[in-house]
Structures are given as C-alpha cells and as structure tokens.
C-alpha cells in the first residue's frame, strides 16, 4: 500500500480551485455535506443555553495557556512521565518521524495501525514510515478509504468527503476484490472485517491527541468509530503524536472543551467515545490485554513555538480542530479541501499553513477568502480568522524577516499611485469618475486592459450610476 | 547542540515581554440540584433511544438477569465477555448455562470471537446519554469494545445529571481516578461515506443498557 502525499503544490491553488469548480460531483457532495454539518451544528448549539459563555471560557483558557505554553507543556511532560508514559520532544516533522520510527524498530514492531490524526498528516508520517517498510494501516474508515485510493484527506473531520459511494464501491472492488456494491452499509461491513484482522495482529498503534492535561499528564481522544479505542488498547505499544498547543491546564477544563468540540464539529452532543488515558495501566492489566505495555507521547513543535511568541498571530493556537469553519466557508464549500494543496484546508488552513510551513509554501492561501466572517462566527474558540488573514496578507505583500516581499508589478503600483492621486482632489476625482463612466460604456475596456483584466476574470465590477450623487443632489439635469 | 526540549522551551521563552492573561476559574456544569433520579433516567433514555440504543429499567437483579437473557437471545448471542465488576460476576452466575462466559483476562482470541460483552458503568450522564467507565474500578477495555453487542448494567443511583457532575467524580481532586476512563454514548458509528450514518464500524454494533433499581 502506498500513500502518496499530495503532489499538488500549495501555490497552485488557482489552478486546483478551477479544476474543483468544474467537477460537478465534487461540488454537489461538498455542498450537501457542509450544509448538513452546518444545520446539525445549529441545532446542537441551540440546545445549550450557555453556549456563548462556554466559548468565552474556552478562549480565555486557551489564551492563558498559549501565553505560558512553556510552563504548561513542561508540566504536562513531567506529569505524563510520572504516570508511566515516555515523552519525546520533536522540533520538526522530520524529528518526529524519526522518533516514531525508532520506537517501532526498538520494539521490533512491523505491523502498525493508526487512527486519524492531523498532526501526523502534517508531518507526512506515513510516507516516512513507508520508507522503512513500516507504513501503518489507517483505521478510521474515511482515512482508510483514501489510503487505499492513494489520496490525501480533504476535510479535517470527514477525510473522504470528496468521494461518492460509487467511487468508494469501485475502489473496494478494485483493491479488496469484493463483489460490486455501492451500499455504504455493505462497504462498511467489509472494512470492519479487514481492519479487525489488522487490529488483532498489530504490534504498535499510533494516534493523535485532542487535549493533553498539564496538571495530570492525561490525554483525551474523541471519536465515533471505536478505532481509536482499538488502536490505543490492542497493540502493546501506543504512540501518541501531540502538537504542543493541544495542552490545557486542568483536568476539569476538559469539560468545557468536550461540550464545545463535538457540537461544533459534527453537531453531536458528544462523540460516541472519549478515551481519557493517563500513563500506563498496571503491568498485570497490560498483560491481560487491558492496555498497552508502553505509552509514548511525541510532543511536536514544527513551527508552533514561533507562533506562540508572535503576539498578533498567537490566537491561531487556540484552534481545537473542530472543522466548523470549513463547513461555514463559502470558498471551501465551493472548491473543497484538495484545492488548498495543503494538509489543513479551509479558513483554519489559510492561517495555519503559511505559519507552519512558511509563506513561500502557501502564499495564495491567505488571499483565498472573501473575508465574509462566517468562520469567525462559528468558531467555538472565537478565533478572529479574518483579521489574522489580513495580517498574513500584509506580511505576504510586505515580507517579514524570514520571508521576502511580494513584488508588485509596475502596472499595479503605478495604478495604486494614480488612484491615490485622483482621490485626493475634488476636481481630479470628478474627472476620474467621468472617465470611469465613459470607460464603462465601452464594455471590453475593463476586461482587456491590465491590471483590470486579471481582477475581472473572476469578478464583476459594480456599475457606476449614470449620474453621480453629487450631480443628482444639485438638481435635475437640464 | 541543545536538546529538542531545551530548544522548544527556549523559543517559547524568547519573548518575555508578551502579555500573560490570567487563567480563569474552572467553569463547570456540575449541579447541586436534585433532579429526581426518575427524570434523569427519562432524559438518558430519550437520548440513547435516538442513537438507536434501547434502555430498560429493571426493579431488581433477578429481573435484570431475565432481561439480559432475553437481549442475548434476541441477538443470537451465546458467548458473553465479562468485565471484572462484582455486579457483572454475580449476575453472570445466574444466566442460563448455555451461555459461554468469557472472563476479562481470557486470551485475546476468545474475546475477539465472543458475541456479546457485559459491563457496568461507574457513572451514567443523563444530559448526554453517556456511560463513564473507570478502569481502576472495572476492567472494561476489551469486553465493551470487541463484541458486536455491549450490554451495560447500571445501578440507578449512578445516574448523574450533567457532564460536570461526572467530571467531579472521575476527577476527584482534579486528577483522573484511573489510567483509563472511557466515555461511551451509543453504538459505534461512522458517516464517512457520503455522510450516511452507519452503525457498528469498529466497536459494538449495538448497545443495550439495563438500569437496575438499587437494593
Ligand atoms: S479555527 Fe475555530 S472553527 Fe476552525 S477548526 Fe479551529 S476551532 Fe474549529
């Protein structure tokens, strides 16, 4: 089996978006999926009278944590070790992959299973392990489907949201040799059977982490399918990969986040399962199959510590990866996750990717938004995504210490200078408006003359009124 | 070269002048209110029924055993994986001899092929229809996960009103009561193919709760 990482280049957003726009099946699937989630979310939060207070509290907790991330992550690491886990620190993805690989090799593990984790997608863990013939079997149904298809996830909660039942059916016929079917229930039954045998034989399980508790060293993982429970219970070694920003201070803070996350993500009051795991079980219980003998936690930085000390951007780290902003985003709803060409799609991806991977990897992304603010409204931790996008746009254009500025074309900077000159004098302004009215009456001008042509390829310019307000105010034309 | 730990912490400490907002007090839905148990059971039942999980109330252990036997028969289940809770071990004694009983520390193969699993729950949460299982009190990790059917026998007195009430109990003094705490709300499910709900993808295909009045 081979999972090819996305070979689509991040900066190809425009071309990929165009492809997606021409794919009618994809558009239909995205539309109904994102609509369904949005409706379920509204219904679920309507039943929670203190919803706004919960959001407020979650954000305050996150802000306080991110501001002292050094303290909380160290406390988490110490307490997790105290409870029997082994904690590893990884500066970047490469280091994290090497750590997981070494754990597998030290234990002679060759049959790996994995539950869904965005952090491991981010560091392309499967590809790194595959190079050592250690590629894990994905066990979340959606992840397994796209692993079989050799694709990458297109949604952070529903990875195979871009595939239809017919496509999944054909894939299973092709890869598993099942009799033809496009019935989700039948397909799911085949998956259960296949994946059971993987679980039964697995000697190492890899999971992500939704929340890590500083005070106790506990990790909490949410899911619906039961594959996380399998992955963290059946193999004798469990490796959890955790971004350092997943930490929250107190055990009792879990309650607030548990009340927010499933309702925001899938509109459930709670997901079917939560596993709260603290260190290792007793040796006797492990021997009786009640849990792994070893628990390893890999703390992943990969750019997060830099965001934490960037005062304007650090609220990015409050994100609890619920996916609500994807479902609410008109751009995501239309082009889907793959167009972004990066691991994290949608509004959160547009702010996270340029910061984690560097602006050169993802320059078009902060611009792939209409700044409508729907993401901010639904975000359970009230991240002001539009403002962060604007800040990133500015940095993309002006450059930072680490990133070069975008060069404006001669035409563009000339146009802006002329615009500013015309706007600054009433006579000049009237002259410019008159010219614009004239230009508008010659329909092809704005479509053909750069730089207006590029802007016009995807938008309509609002038409100017025949008469200006000023002239109308002065009285009827004679 | 400094270690990864030092370097990450070093970056995090590289801007000491940044604002540090205070950590707010814990916010909790823990209720001191005494909603009658019957009301909590009704709310719990309504939510689980919506998720496709039946809930019965039995007046005593004998009635509970009868109900469990019926449910096993309905599912054509003739083997039962047991947790190590006292109530489970006691009631298992009273089930028909035709039902094979598989202890919690049996070899993995027999657990994998058992048709049903029986556990209690340390707590139940009315607000969300959730069972909370705490490993220190009950070894539950495999018997509630591997079989197609999970039956939970829950003493009525353990029915709490809110998630916050459960957190107070599973985390006395702010620390978890056991290495493994599992929350279960309904049967295993997925919506990964065209968002169509399918029950029983990896975990149990069915969950059946029997609430038993306390002696
Ligand atoms: S940014 Fe907010 S809405 Fe988007 S995934 Fe993160 S927490 Fe959810």
């Amino acid at each position: 089996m081979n999972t090819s990482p996305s070979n689509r280049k991040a900066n190809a957003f425009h071309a990929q978006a165009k492809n997606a726009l021409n794919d009618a099946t994809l558009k239909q699937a995205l539309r109904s999926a994102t609509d369904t989630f949005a409706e379920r979310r509204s219904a679920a939060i309507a039943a929670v009278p203190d919803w706004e207070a919960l959001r407020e509290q979650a954000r305050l907790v996150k802000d306080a944590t991110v501001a002292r991330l050094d303290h909380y992550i160290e406390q988490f690491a110490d307490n997790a070790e105290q409870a029997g886990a082994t904690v590893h620190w990884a500066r970047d993805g490469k280091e994290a992959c090497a750590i997981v690989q070494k754990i597998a090799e030290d234990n002679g593990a060759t049959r790996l299973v994995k539950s869904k984790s965005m952090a491991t997608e981010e560091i392309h863990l499967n590809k790194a392990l595959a190079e050592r013939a250690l590629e894990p079997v994905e066990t979340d149904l959606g992840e397994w489907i796209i692993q079989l298809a050799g694709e990458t996830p297109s949604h952070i909660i529903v990875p195979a949201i871009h595939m239809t039942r017919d496509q999944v059916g054909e894939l299973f016929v092709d890869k598993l040799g099942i009799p033809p079917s496009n019935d989700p229930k039948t397909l799911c039954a085949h998956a259960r059977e296949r994946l059971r045998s993987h679980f039964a034989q697995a000697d190492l399980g890899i999971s992500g982490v939704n929340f890590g508790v500083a005070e106790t060293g506990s990790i909490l993982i949410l899911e619906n399918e039961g594959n996380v429970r399998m992955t963290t219970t059946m193999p004798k070694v469990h490796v959890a990969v955790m971004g350092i920003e997943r930490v929250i201070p107190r055990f009792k803070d879990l309650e607030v986040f548990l009340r927010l996350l499933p309702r925001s993500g899938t509109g459930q009051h709670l997901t079917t399962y939560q596993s709260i795991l603290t260190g290792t079980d007793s040796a006797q219980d492990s021997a009786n199959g009640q849990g792994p003998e070893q628990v390893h936690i890999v703390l992943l930085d990969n750019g997060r510590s830099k965001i934490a000390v960037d005062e304007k951007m650090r609220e990015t780290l409050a994100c609890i990866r619920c996916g609500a902003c994807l479902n609410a985003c008109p751009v995501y709803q239309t082009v889907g996750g793959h167009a972004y060409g990066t691991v994290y799609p949608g509004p959160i991806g547009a702010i996270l990717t340029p910061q984690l991977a560097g602006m050169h990897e993802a320059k078009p992304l902060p611009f792939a938004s209409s700044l409508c603010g729907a993401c901010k409204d639904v975000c359970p931790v009230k991240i002001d995504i539009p403002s962060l996008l604007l800040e990133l746009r500015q940095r993309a254009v002006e450059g930072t210490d680490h990133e070069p500025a975008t060069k404006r074309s001669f035409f563009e900077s000339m146009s802006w200078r002329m615009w500013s000159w015309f706007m600054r004098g009433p006579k000049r302004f009237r002259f410019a408006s008159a010219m614009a009215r004239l230009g508008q009456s010659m329909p092809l001008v704005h479509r053909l003359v750069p730089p207006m042509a590029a802007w016009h390829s995807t938008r309509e310019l609002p038409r100017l009124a025949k008469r200006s307000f000023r002239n109308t105010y002065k009285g009827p034309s004679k | 070269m400094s270690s990864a730990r030092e370097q990450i912490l070093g970056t995090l400490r590289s801007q000491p002048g940044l604002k540090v907002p205070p950590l707010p007090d814990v916010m909790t839905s823990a209720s001191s209110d005494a909603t009658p148990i019957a009301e909590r059971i009704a709310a719990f039942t309504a939510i689980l029924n919506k998720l496709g999980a039946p809930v019965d109330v039995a007046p005593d252990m004998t009635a509970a055993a009868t109900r469990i036997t019926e449910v096993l028969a309905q599912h054509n289940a003739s083997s039962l994986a047991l947790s190590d809770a006292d109530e489970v071990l006691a009631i298992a004694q009273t089930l028909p001899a035709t039902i094979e009983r598989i202890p919690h520390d049996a070899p993995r193969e027999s657990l994998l092929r058992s048709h049903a699993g029986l556990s209690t729950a340390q707590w139940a949460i009315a607000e969300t229809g959730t069972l909370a299982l705490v490993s220190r009190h009950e070894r539950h990790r495999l018997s509630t996960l591997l079989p197609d059917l999970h039956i939970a026998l829950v003493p009525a007195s353990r029915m709490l009103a809110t998630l916050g009430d459960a957190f107070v109990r599973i985390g006395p003094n702010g620390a978890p009561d056991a290495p493994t705490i599992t929350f279960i709300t309904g049967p295993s499910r997925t919506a990964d193919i065209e968002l169509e709900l399918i029950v029983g993808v990896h975990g149990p295909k069915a969950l059946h709760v029997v609430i038993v009045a306390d002696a």
Side-chain angles (χ1 to χ4, degrees):
Chain A
M1 230 172 333
N2 170 41
T3 314
S4 65
S6 173
N7 52 8
R8 305 167 175 96
K9 270 271 169 314
N11 55 14
F13 176 82
H14 298 293
Q16 286 152 11
K18 198 171 253 172
N19 288 343
L21 287 173
N22 291 331
D23 184 339
T25 324
L26 174 67
K27 264 169 99 170
Q28 175 58 39
L30 277 169
R31 196 72 229 192
S32 72
T34 50
D35 282 356
T36 307
F37 276 136
E39 276 162 34
R40 287 187 195 156
R41 174 188 165 278
S42 309
I45 68 174
V48 184
D50 56 346
W51 184 252
E52 284 309 312
L54 280 173
R55 288 175 82 196
E56 190 65 36
Q57 169 77 6
R59 180 55 188 278
L60 290 173
V61 170
K62 275 289 188 177
D63 281 349
T65 316
V66 170
R68 287 301 317 280
L69 199 50
D70 60 322
H71 166 72
Y72 290 115
I73 198 67
E74 216 176 12
Q75 193 188 4
F76 171 81
D78 291 347
N79 285 324
E81 295 222 308
Q82 197 77 46
T86 310
V87 176
H88 309 259
W89 299 70
R91 278 167 284 214
D92 55 28
K94 220 175 132 201
E95 221 165 62
C97 292
I99 290 166
V100 180
Q101 189 184 305
K102 182 158 188 313
I103 297 169
E105 285 168 357
D106 285 352
N107 284 286
T110 52
R111 287 159 303 193
L112 280 62
V113 287
K114 181 166 165 287
S115 58
K116 190 157 76 69
S117 140
M118 291 309 292
T120 60
E121 293 286 340
E122 173 189 326
I123 62 176
H124 304 298
L125 178 62
N126 285 7
K127 183 171 170 265
L129 291 173
E131 281 163 15
R132 299 291 192 111
L134 289 172
E135 191 184 14
V137 176
E138 292 287 352
T139 60
D140 172 87
L141 179 60
E143 288 281 346
W144 189 57
I145 290 170
I146 57 175
Q147 184 179 42
L148 288 176
E151 296 191 13
T152 53
S154 62
H155 189 286
I156 63 180
I157 304 292
V158 201
I161 202 170
H162 59 286
M163 291 179 77
T164 61
R165 63 183 70 200
D166 293 332
Q167 289 169 329
V168 176
E170 280 161 29
L171 178 71
F172 279 22
V173 170
D174 185 31
K175 301 275 170 167
L176 312 175
I178 65 159
S181 168
N182 69 352
D183 169 36
K185 213 172 161 188
T186 311
L187 298 172
C188 186
H190 284 290
R192 179 183 174 99
E193 197 190 303
R194 290 296 171 113
L195 289 168
R196 274 278 161 133
S197 64
H198 285 294
F199 282 125
Q201 293 168 19
D203 38 28
L204 187 144
I206 301 170
S207 78
V209 171
N210 289 104
F211 301 99
V213 180
E215 196 179 59
T216 64
S218 312
I219 58 176
L220 181 140
I221 317 173
L222 294 91
E223 58 155 341
N224 280 312
E225 296 185 0
N227 62 316
V228 171
R229 292 181 64 198
M230 296 272 197
T231 302
T232 58
T233 303
M234 298 189 70
K236 65 183 195 317
V237 183
H238 170 207
V239 182
V241 180
M242 168 176 160
I244 55 172
E245 85 290 12
R246 301 287 105 203
V247 72
I248 56 172
R250 298 160 299 202
F251 189 72
K252 285 181 180 159
D253 289 322
L254 283 174
E255 183 198 332
V256 168
F257 291 97
L258 265 186
R259 297 181 78 203
L260 285 169
L261 179 53
R263 289 182 171 103
S264 298
T266 51
Q268 293 171 281
H269 297 297
L270 267 187
T271 55
T272 306
Y273 303 119
Q274 283 78 39
S275 300
I276 307 176
L277 307 171
T278 311
T280 43
D281 296 88
S282 71
Q284 195 201 335
D285 283 347
S286 302
N288 286 337
Q290 292 296 318
E293 288 163 20
Q294 294 173 35
V295 174
H296 296 265
I297 301 173
V298 182
L299 294 175
L300 175 70
D301 183 348
N302 208 28
R304 289 162 172 81
S305 58
K306 277 211 195 78
I307 305 176
V309 292
D310 181 337
E311 198 152 29
K312 279 199 179 134
M313 298 306 299
R314 65 182 178 181
E315 69 178 284
T316 308
L317 298 182
C319 171
I320 56 173
R321 307 278 190 272
C322 71
C325 58
L326 277 62
N327 303 328
C329 175
V331 176
Y332 179 88
Q333 285 171 357
T334 318
V335 300
H338 282 154
Y340 293 79
T342 52
V343 171
Y344 299 102
I348 180 59
I351 57 169
L352 196 55
T353 309
Q355 299 187 76
L356 290 180
M359 195 66 88
H360 54 279
E361 284 277 318
K363 216 159 213 174
L365 296 186
F367 297 87
S369 157
S370 59
L371 298 178
C372 71
C375 47
K376 180 184 174 184
D377 292 344
V378 297
C379 178
V381 284
K382 299 174 100 167
I383 299 178
D384 188 353
I385 298 176
S387 299
L388 297 181
L389 283 170
L390 283 177
E391 174 66 23
L392 286 172
R393 285 185 187 184
Q394 190 176 344
R395 291 183 187 187
V397 173
E398 289 174 357
T400 62
D401 300 352
H402 319 284
E403 302 277 350
T406 307
K407 266 238 160 57
R408 274 183 176 160
S409 72
F410 171 74
F411 250 128
E412 195 184 344
S413 39
M414 218 30 217
S415 315
W416 285 116
R417 249 180 258 158
M418 279 166 62
W419 182 79
S420 128
W421 184 76
F422 277 117
M423 287 294 159
R424 274 179 289 139
K427 279 209 185 109
R428 279 174 260 165
F429 176 76
R430 277 197 299 268
F431 173 73
S433 319
M435 290 306 287
R437 286 200 174 77
L438 188 67
Q440 198 168 254
S441 63
M442 298 185 279
L444 283 181
V445 169
H446 57 257
R447 296 207 173 272
L448 299 179
V449 183
M452 276 112 84
W455 195 87
H456 262 287
S457 66
T458 53
R459 305 173 183 84
E460 273 305 319
L461 187 69
R463 294 191 72 82
L464 293 173
K466 285 234 166 60
R467 276 164 65 80
S468 72
F469 175 74
R470 186 189 164 86
N471 281 342
T472 311
Y473 186 75
K474 277 199 302 200
S477 54
K478 315 257 151 61
Chain B
M1 209 178 67
S2 65
S3 72
R5 174 176 176 141
E6 283 163 37
Q7 208 172 320
I8 294 167
L9 292 172
T11 309
L12 290 171
R13 287 169 184 151
S14 63
Q15 304 284 337
L18 300 185
K19 266 191 236 108
V20 180
L23 182 65
D25 289 342
V26 167
M27 181 173 148
T28 170
S29 61
S31 59
S32 49
D33 106 19
T35 346
I37 292 265
E39 251 173 58
R40 295 182 203 168
I41 291 175
F44 177 88
T45 305
I47 292 187
L48 272 189
N49 285 173
K50 251 196 214 154
L51 296 172
V55 179
D56 293 316
V57 180
D60 54 37
M61 278 296 198
T62 317
T66 309
R67 192 65 197 116
I68 290 169
T69 310
E70 287 165 6
V71 173
L72 289 171
Q74 260 169 34
H75 287 261
N76 293 320
S78 59
S79 52
L80 184 64
L82 307 174
S83 77
D84 67 344
D86 291 344
E87 296 89 340
V88 167
L89 298 176
I91 208 164
Q93 299 287 319
T94 70
L95 297 176
T98 47
I99 293 165
E100 184 193 353
R101 274 146 276 207
I102 300 164
H104 83 280
D105 53 359
R108 173 130 339 148
E109 300 69 55
S110 32
L111 287 165
L112 272 165
R113 64 171 174 74
S114 54
H115 300 144
L118 181 64
S119 74
T120 70
Q122 277 57 59
W123 308 105
I125 307 166
E127 177 193 29
T128 51
T130 302
L131 303 170
L133 289 104
V134 180
S135 66
R136 193 165 68 80
H137 301 288
E138 176 168 13
R139 288 165 181 84
H140 64 269
R141 286 181 83 163
L142 294 174
S143 53
T144 63
L145 177 63
L146 298 181
D148 282 359
L149 165 68
H150 172 204
I151 304 175
L153 175 72
V154 184
S157 59
R158 297 183 191 172
M159 182 66 65
L160 308 171
T162 66
L163 192 58
D165 293 324
F167 266 92
V168 172
R169 271 105 176 160
I170 64 167
N173 313 314
D177 200 14
T180 304
I181 297 173
T182 312
F183 284 177
I184 299 175
T185 308
S188 152
R189 57 196 249 153
T190 186
D192 273 353
I193 303 174
E194 286 190 13
L195 291 196
E196 186 166 307
L197 176 68
I198 299 159
V199 163
V201 53
H202 290 297
K205 297 174 180 173
L207 170 69
H208 196 115
V209 179
V210 180
I211 297 172
V212 59
D214 294 83

